[in-house]
Amino acid sequence: DKPNIESKFEPIEDMYKCLDKFDVPVSDEEKELMDNLRVKWTEFQKTLGEADLMLKSKKVEMGKDLKDNITSFTQHVIDTRSEFQENGPFSAPGPSDTSGEVIDIEGAFEFISDFKKRIADNRSKADSMKKGMGIFGYDQPEYKETDDTEKELAMLEKVWTLMRDWLAEWDQWKNGRFSGLDVKTLEKSAGEFQKALGKMGRGVKQWKVWRSLSNIIQRFRQTLPLISDLRSPAMRPRHW
């Protein structure tokens, strides 16, 4: 520190005075260094002061830039949330739908995959800014919108995975031999899908895609008694 360093100047100067008094040879280079000691120290202090002022100015500038980035990123997080809520695959046509809309499994999973990447990018950006916030004493926003979107993405993926798996099962049954259908197996499989749907949260059950899949499965289960009757050995050609 400054006082500690300056306290060493006088003893050094006294030492060289003593050497001069007793005609002890000292090189010209060393004498010049000694003569300029306090001058160089003063110049060094001035340089430090100028550097400190520059750093403070830059810190203010960097702090403003960081605050602007935080504001911009916070808005980006809000916009990402809004886009997810507006365009997310929360709906799918049900068994009573007459619009001709098809169940777009591929499109749903593409959307989910894209948004998972975007959420990961947002979290990475937030973590990188967190370091700067610590330096400038800023509190890091919680970004609840990111947390909510991440949770809903996970639930969307579960619903659409059930939808994909159910349709795959349905294609097997539909394209298989009618005589090979086992009603108990069909009922068990449909019950397992319905149970998995039922375990999902109240908010998820408000999504049209959840209601559509639930209705599709319920409608299928209602047809099982008819399938059982049609496969009965008591059926005769005249019944057709």
Side-chain angles (χ1 to χ4, degrees), residues 175-187:
N175 297 320
R177 291 177 60 84
F178 183 78
S179 60
L181 295 177
D182 180 74
V183 174
K184 288 184 178 180
T185 299
L186 299 180
E187 174 62 36

Side-chain angles (χ1 to χ4, degrees), residues 21-58:
K21 180 179 179 181
F22 290 100
D23 297 325
V24 176
V26 176
S27 68
D28 292 341
E29 181 181 1
E30 196 171 346
K31 284 181 180 180
E32 184 178 359
L33 289 173
M34 180 61 226
D35 292 340
N36 292 327
L37 179 62
R38 289 186 182 272
V39 174
K40 292 296 184 183
W41 173 247
T42 300
E43 291 175 352
F44 178 66
Q45 290 298 303
K46 181 181 178 182
T47 301
L48 284 180
E50 291 171 349
D52 185 54
L53 288 174
M54 183 182 68
L55 287 174
K56 286 179 179 178
S57 174
K58 286 295 182 182

Side-chain angles (χ1 to χ4, degrees), residues 81 84 89-90 108 111-120 146-159 207:
R81 173 68 176 163
F84 172 74
F90 295 101
F111 182 94
I112 291 168
S113 176
D114 174 63
F115 256 80
K116 285 171 73 173
K117 182 179 183 303
R118 290 171 64 176
I119 291 300
T146 297
D147 295 337
D148 292 343
T149 300
E150 194 168 48
K151 290 174 184 176
E152 290 178 8
L153 268 174
M155 296 310 299
L156 263 181
E157 188 169 29
K158 287 183 179 180
V159 175
W207 297 344

Side-chain angles (χ1 to χ4, degrees), residues 69-112:
N69 286 338
I70 294 171
T71 300
S72 177
F73 179 67
T74 300
Q75 185 59 51
H76 171 72
V77 168
I78 294 172
D79 292 343
T80 301
R81 173 68 176 163
S82 297
E83 184 181 348
F84 172 74
Q85 291 176 311
E86 292 172 9
N87 302 324
F90 295 101
S91 66
S96 301
D97 195 297
T98 58
S99 66
E101 181 184 357
V102 298
I103 299 176
D104 187 5
I105 298 288
E106 183 178 350
F109 278 102
E110 284 181 0
F111 182 94
I112 291 168

